[in-house]
C-alpha cells in the first residue's frame, strides 16, 4: 500500500534516530538521501519494512470475477487469502497504467529526490517492468532507472529492501546497482509447480 512520504531532509531527521537504534548505521554515517526506491506490490514486503526504510509501492490490480481491487489498498493479503476458497473464478492480476508510475515519479521528484530506482517483478511473469520502463522514458524531470528483479515475491522484496537501506545510507545509484547485481545472482525464489 501507499504511505505518506516525507521530503528528504525531513525523512533524514526522522529516520536517523530509528536507523541508529536498529544498529543499521550510526548517525555520523548518515548521508543525504538522494535516491528513492519504487517497487510494486508483488514484492510482498511487510508494511513496517516499507515504512521504516522508505520504499514507495505501486499497487497492482487483483481481479476477482468482474471486479478489480488495488493490492494492499482495496483488499488486504489477509482478506484475499481468507476469501480465496470461496472465489468462483481464479483471481488474476493486472498491471497499473503508465500514469500510476509517472505520477509516483513526479511526486518523488517534487519531494527533492534526484534519482529514482524502480525495481519490479520479473518480466517473464508480468508486464509491470515494461510499463515502468515506458513511463520512465516519458518522465524527464529526474533520471529513473528501471530494474527487472528477475524474481517474484520476496525474491524481489529482498532486492528492494537492500536498495532502500543503501539509499538511506546515501549510496549512489552506481553503488546500489552493483550491490543488486551481486544479490540477484545469489537470490532464488522457489515455487513447486507440481
Amino acid at each position: 500500500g501507499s504511505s505518506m512520504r516525507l521530503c528528504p531532509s525531513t525523512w533524514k531527521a526522522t529516520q536517523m534516530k530509528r536507523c541508529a537504534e536498529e544498529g543499521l548505521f550510526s548517525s555520523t554515517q548518515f548521508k543525504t538521501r538522494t535516491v528513492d526506491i519504487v517497487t510494486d506490490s508483488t514484492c510482498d514486503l511487510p508494511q513496517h519494512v516499507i515504512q521504516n526504510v522508505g520504499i514507495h509501492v505501486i499497487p497492482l490490480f487483483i481481479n476477482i470475477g468482474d471486479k478489480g481491487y488495488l493490492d494492499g489498498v482495496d483488499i488486504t493479503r489477509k482478506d484475499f487469502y481468507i476469501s480465496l476458497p470461496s472465489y468462483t473464478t481464479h483471481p488474476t492480476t493486472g498491471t497499473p497504467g503508465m500514469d500510476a508510475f509517472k505520477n509516483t515519479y513526479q511526486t518523488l521528484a517534487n519531494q527533492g529526490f534526484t534519482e529514482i530506482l524502480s525495481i519490479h517483478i520479473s518480466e517473464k511473469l508480468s508486464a509491470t517492468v515494461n510499463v515502468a520502463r515506458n513511463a520512465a522514458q516519458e518522465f524527464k524531470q529526474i533520471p529513473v532507472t528501471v530494474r527487472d528483479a528477475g524474481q517474484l515475491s520476496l525474491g524481489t522484496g529482498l532486492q528492494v529492501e537492500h536498495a532502500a537501506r543503501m539509499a538511506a545510507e546515501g549510496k549512489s545509484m552506481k553503488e546500489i546497482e552493483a550491490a543488486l547485481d551481486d544479490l540477484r545472482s545469489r537470490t532464488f525464489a522457489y515455487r513447486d509447480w507440481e
Side-chain angles (χ1 to χ4, degrees):
S2 62
S3 60
M4 184 179 90
R5 295 306 310 274
L6 305 171
C7 71
S9 59
T10 306
W11 187 92
K12 177 180 175 181
T14 58
Q15 294 296 95
M16 277 178 69
K17 183 178 176 194
R18 180 181 301 155
C19 292
E21 287 170 354
E22 293 177 12
L24 298 176
F25 46 84
S26 70
S27 58
T28 57
Q29 292 174 301
F30 203 102
K31 299 178 182 176
T32 302
R33 179 180 179 151
T34 59
V35 177
D36 200 22
I37 308 301
V38 174
T39 191
D40 58 75
S41 58
T42 66
C43 74
D44 291 335
L45 287 171
Q47 190 61 34
H48 73 275
V49 172
I50 290 166
Q51 291 173 340
N52 286 346
V53 296
I55 299 165
H56 195 88
V57 178
I58 297 175
L60 269 63
F61 289 96
I62 297 176
N63 301 311
I64 303 166
D66 61 352
K67 294 183 181 176
Y69 303 90
L70 283 174
D71 184 16
V73 176
D74 300 327
I75 187 169
T76 66
R77 291 289 167 96
K78 181 179 179 181
D79 292 339
F80 173 78
Y81 285 113
I82 287 171
S83 301
L84 185 59
S86 66
Y87 297 146
T88 56
T89 60
H90 293 291
T92 60
T93 60
T95 300
M98 281 199 322
D99 283 347
F101 292 88
K102 289 194 294 188
N103 291 341
T104 298
Y105 301 156
Q106 184 64 58
T107 297
L108 299 176
N110 291 347
Q111 290 176 358
F113 292 100
T114 59
E115 291 183 271
I116 297 169
L117 179 56
S118 200
I119 307 170
H120 301 284
I121 183 174
S122 171
E123 68 182 331
K124 294 178 181 177
L125 302 170
S126 172
T128 303
V129 73
N130 290 320
V131 174
R133 284 179 183 137
N134 291 335
Q137 286 176 352
E138 288 188 13
F139 185 75
K140 305 295 184 195
Q141 190 167 342
I142 61 174
V144 178
T145 301
V146 177
R147 282 185 65 98
D148 181 342
Q151 302 282 333
L152 72 157
S153 188
L154 287 176
T156 300
L158 180 63
Q159 294 176 54
V160 170
E161 181 181 4
H162 191 69
R165 290 188 188 281
M166 290 185 72
E169 293 171 356
K171 301 294 185 190
S172 70
M173 182 69 76
K174 185 177 180 179
E175 291 172 306
I176 295 169
E177 286 207 279
L180 291 182
D181 288 342
D182 177 60
L183 182 61
R184 179 179 169 171
S185 71
R186 298 180 289 112
T187 304
F188 302 93
Y190 177 74
R191 168 74 165 102
D192 184 359
W193 296 101
E194 294 187 55

